[in-house]
Amino acid sequence: MTVPSTISDVERDTGVAKETLRVWERRYDFPQPLRDPFGERVYPTEQVVKLRLVKRLIDLGFRPGKVIQYSPEELQALAEKAAEGNKTRSRAHHPEMQIYLDLCKSHQMDALRRKLSQALLVMGLKSFVIDLVTPLTAMVGDAWASGRFAVFEEHLFAESLQMVMRSAIFSVPQGNANNSSAPRPRILLTTLPQERHGLGLLMAEALFAAEGAHGISLGLQTPVPDLADAARSLGVDIVALSLSASMNPRQALDGLKELRARLPETVEIWAGGNCSALRKRPPAFVRVFQLHEIGGGIADWRVRVRTQAMPLG
């Protein structure tokens, strides 16, 4: 007999936050947890399986209220159809992309890391992130969403990619290779407490390094008061946040507003990712960038700094 999962188990297994599970329970009447002898929520296996499918579709851009009432079979079919379109577009972007997925799927992780490292040497860090890593991570996400990748295989891929990218970031010469006299922004990178996805943040950190910025990473899920304290203590110019599609847009907006209120006015807030709060109507005080726009964002920041430093009269 299968033991029901606790709410913490479900959060870890599906990537759906505990608070979100409770909201869905009230709003959509799903999931429908049982209660253990202590009155705590526990979730039958079939509900956990369906929650995984719902999460896949949310990552593909669907709204929970549109899909949560579907059966597991309907959810699986919808995920496969949506992911197939994305997979076709991703393969067209880079004809050799499938090789990386095949290495991961066959669990040849040493070979995968070697191939990624070779591509990095040939392409350079900036092109590696934008032209290879960005579409490749989309393909891996699609493979997971359609059920072709197990959760642990997605984790294996992410871990291998992070190892390669962290080594590359560490190897970038200090300062700006293009112009050593250019202003060098100090950028604090992290995510809000509700955001558990960190690959986008690491990709941004790599691009900041390639542009000659000084990146300082706090890792994931930093409480806003602590983030503001760190920004003040470290004297940063910019706080950069990654907000993925799985981030609740209301929580994202609330966190951004609280952060703006706590930061010095001179510290800019930059954000990127697929959170709907950034796509629809982002706050005016947040500069929103796609990864390929980071270079232009750094160039514009340098222009602003030089302009502010010019003597009057």
Side-chain angles (χ1 to χ4, degrees), residues 121-144:
L121 288 173
V122 171
M123 302 174 72
L125 183 55
K126 186 174 180 179
S127 180
F128 176 75
V129 172
I130 294 174
D131 298 327
L132 179 60
V133 175
T134 299
L136 183 57
T137 52
M139 286 184 68
V140 171
D142 292 341
W144 173 82

Side-chain angles (χ1 to χ4, degrees), residues 41-114:
R41 289 174 171 84
V42 290
Y43 298 80
T45 300
E46 60 272 15
Q47 293 191 29
V48 178
V49 170
K50 179 174 175 177
L51 284 167
R52 285 199 200 106
L53 292 167
V54 170
K55 180 61 166 58
R56 287 177 185 173
L57 287 165
I58 291 173
D59 288 344
L60 289 170
F62 290 83
R63 298 179 64 180
K66 298 293 185 181
V67 299
I68 205 165
Q69 301 302 330
Y70 289 171
S71 70
E73 293 75 19
E74 291 170 326
L75 291 170
Q76 180 66 39
L78 189 58
E80 290 177 358
K81 181 178 179 181
E84 186 61 32
N86 289 343
K87 180 178 69 174
T88 301
R89 289 190 292 272
S90 296
R91 281 181 174 170
H93 187 85
H94 198 300
E96 295 186 356
M97 204 73 68
Q98 188 63 36
I99 297 174
Y100 297 92
L101 270 69
D102 292 342
L103 288 173
C104 187
K105 185 64 183 174
S106 60
H107 309 155
Q108 301 180 62
M109 307 319 296
D110 288 341
L112 174 62
R113 286 190 288 271
R114 283 196 300 271

